[in-house]
Amino acid sequence: MENECLHTQELIPDLIAGELGDKESVRLAQHLKGCEVCARVAERYREMIVEASASEPEIEYDAVWRRISKGMDRHGRARPWPIGVLLDHKAWSLGAAACAILMLLFFLLRSTPVRPAMSISEIEAVLRAVGEAREDPVTAFQSHLDEDYRLLDNPEDERLYSLPGVDIADEDAGSSTPF
Amino acid sequence: MSNIADALTDESIFLQVCNGNSEMYGVLYQRYKAPVAGMIMKMTGCADELEDLVADVFLAAYQKRTQYKQAGSFKSWLYTIAVNTARQHARRQGFRRRAMADLARGNGLPGSAEPSLKSQLERMELRELLMSSLSRLGPKLREAFVLRDVEGLSYQEIAEILRCPVGTVKSRLSAARKAMLELTKETLNSHEG
């Protein structure tokens, strides 16, 4: 078989489906006029498609419709809103499921212990702690130093004796030695 | 009633059905009973259970009416259900080649009113060719071929029904046509040989 025939036969279904361009359709038609083999294939294919499109099965359509009607009655014929929704089992099931979820959430939230509010003194303590944490270290050191000097200026203050590195008793003992 | 209904689109009729006017479903049944039956028969090759399958399709469409999107085409939606029904049946039963052969011989298809014996025989032969060729296609190629070349749906409609891109439909159809053409050539050669 010639290449021309092979190419033509490949395009026969597209030609019969009307999906070929004008130029290609004309070229194919010319080839089919002159080639008996391709023309026979094209005719056979066309007849088969026509037969497939034309043939309808012979069944008892009325009997089928009666069965469909019965099925529609069993399933529940469509009713206008809201009656249809009220009688729809699926809608009721969905509603019941939504209610159950909401109730579950409600009870879960209720049973969770709620953190009590802080008292005023607790809030003050927290604020103090935060304030101390934010204090500049240099300023903090200076304030501690001032406090120490104040204690040294006042020897009667008992807190003086608890200062680290300061031994008042040794100093007194040292000063009592005869010079 | 039927004259008024004839002027209505499928979508507006089905909307009435969804809103409670179940009687209008009969109008849609009248419009689509033959195409749906023909399509299922060519996809499954099943003639003896065809009535059951057609009833299943229309009942499923009625029962799933709440899932119907009004923006879409009713025809595509119904055909999607029909294709799925045919697929399920084919999965259960396989392709019924024997039933196809029975159909091809004239059982279940009109043709007895043919004027001449020759034309009857020719039609019978063509049906035999059609059914045996369809039975040799894979299910996906057969679906594309039946929907496009037999039912005459657009590529876009087929893509919606089969839920695949238009390009996929085109490639499946191209393969199906090639296979059908080869089978046509084989039968011609066997006749001549």
Side-chain angles (χ1 to χ4, degrees), chain A residues 81-147:
Chain A
W81 192 89
I83 300 166
V85 176
L86 286 173
L87 295 176
D88 187 359
H89 294 295
K90 200 175 171 185
W92 277 105
S93 308
L94 284 172
C99 283
I101 290 167
L102 283 174
M103 283 176 71
L104 190 69
L105 281 174
F106 175 74
F107 284 113
L108 276 175
L109 289 173
R110 262 191 81 186
S111 59
T112 308
V114 180
R115 186 186 167 83
M118 281 193 289
S119 63
I120 298 294
S121 57
E122 281 175 324
I123 294 168
E124 283 175 348
V126 169
L127 288 174
R128 253 198 317 277
V130 170
E132 280 175 14
R134 285 183 178 173
E135 197 175 11
D136 181 22
V138 177
T139 315
F141 178 72
Q142 188 64 49
S143 66
H144 280 293
L145 213 58
D146 290 347
E147 181 70 15

Side-chain angles (χ1 to χ4, degrees), chain A residues 7 16-17 21 34 42 44-45 53 59 74 81 84 88 94 103 114 124 139 149 151 163 169 176:
Chain A
H7 183 59
I16 289 165
R44 188 74 168 170
Y45 188 85
S53 307
I59 58 171
R74 265 202 308 276
W81 192 89
D88 187 359
L94 284 172
M103 283 176 71
V114 180
E124 283 175 348
T139 315
Y149 279 130
L151 288 173
L163 282 174
S176 64

Side-chain angles (χ1 to χ4, degrees), chain A residues 64-78:
Chain A
V64 174
W65 175 245
R66 279 195 294 276
R67 285 173 53 189
I68 294 168
S69 289
K70 272 187 192 169
M72 286 163 73
D73 287 335
R74 265 202 308 276
H75 184 258
R77 284 181 181 269

Side-chain angles (χ1 to χ4, degrees), chain A residues 1 6 9-14 17 19 37 40-42 44-45 47-49 51-65 67-81 88 90, chain B residues 17-20 22-23 25-26 29 33-34 37-38 41-42 50-52 54-55 58-59 62-63 65 67 108-110 123 125-127 129-130 133 145 148-150 155 173 177 180-181 184-185 187-188 191-192:
Chain A
M1 193 181 289
L6 281 174
Q9 287 180 11
E10 274 177 10
L11 295 175
I12 284 171
D14 295 339
E19 292 178 6
V37 176
R40 223 174 23 245
V41 172
R44 188 74 168 170
Y45 188 85
E47 282 174 350
M48 187 188 65
I49 296 295
E51 182 62 29
S53 307
S55 62
E56 283 177 9
E58 275 188 346
I59 58 171
E60 293 292 332
Y61 286 113
D62 290 342
V64 174
W65 175 245
R67 285 173 53 189
I68 294 168
S69 289
K70 272 187 192 169
M72 286 163 73
D73 287 335
R74 265 202 308 276
H75 184 258
R77 284 181 181 269
R79 293 172 178 87
W81 192 89
D88 187 359
K90 200 175 171 185
Chain B
V17 174
C18 293
N19 286 331
S22 300
E23 304 306 318
Y25 198 51
Y29 175 72
K33 61 183 183 183
M41 189 192 70
K42 282 155 203 148
L50 193 56
E51 290 184 3
D52 294 342
V54 173
F58 280 93
L59 260 179
Y62 181 78
Q63 287 168 356
R65 61 190 182 277
Q67 296 170 20
L109 287 174
R123 285 193 72 181
E125 200 179 325
L126 280 171
R127 283 175 204 162
L129 168 65
L130 169 73
S133 305
F145 183 80
R148 175 65 190 164
D149 283 356
V150 179
Y155 284 106
L173 185 65
R177 283 175 175 170
M180 292 296 276
L181 186 74
T184 308
K185 280 156 63 175
T187 53
L188 272 176
H191 277 290
E192 285 163 7

Side-chain angles (χ1 to χ4, degrees), chain B residues 60-84:
Chain B
Y62 181 78
Q63 287 168 356
K64 291 176 184 172
R65 61 190 182 277
T66 50
Q67 296 170 20
Y68 169 69
K69 290 171 191 164
Q70 288 169 24
S73 145
F74 171 77
K75 186 182 171 185
S76 297
W77 188 67
L78 183 70
Y79 276 34
T80 305
I81 294 171
V83 167
N84 288 336

Side-chain angles (χ1 to χ4, degrees), chain B residues 85-162:
Chain B
T85 305
R87 278 178 187 169
Q88 282 170 9
H89 184 268
R91 217 173 289 142
R92 280 200 309 267
Q93 306 276 338
F95 198 84
R96 305 287 290 276
R97 292 190 69 166
R98 226 180 78 186
M100 280 293 232
D102 289 345
L103 279 170
R105 286 186 198 97
N107 302 336
L109 287 174
S112 56
E114 287 294 333
S116 70
L117 184 63
K118 192 188 170 196
S119 60
Q120 271 195 45
L121 287 171
E122 278 173 1
R123 285 193 72 181
M124 205 183 290
E125 200 179 325
L126 280 171
R127 283 175 204 162
E128 191 136 9
L129 168 65
L130 169 73
M131 297 306 185
S132 64
S133 305
L134 281 176
S135 71
R136 285 161 77 175
L137 290 182
K140 287 181 178 174
L141 301 190
R142 191 163 56 237
E143 284 169 5
F145 183 80
V146 169
L147 290 173
R148 175 65 190 164
D149 283 356
V150 179
E151 299 300 326
L153 300 186
S154 70
Y155 284 106
Q156 190 58 47
E157 283 176 318
I158 299 168
E160 277 175 30
I161 291 165
L162 301 181

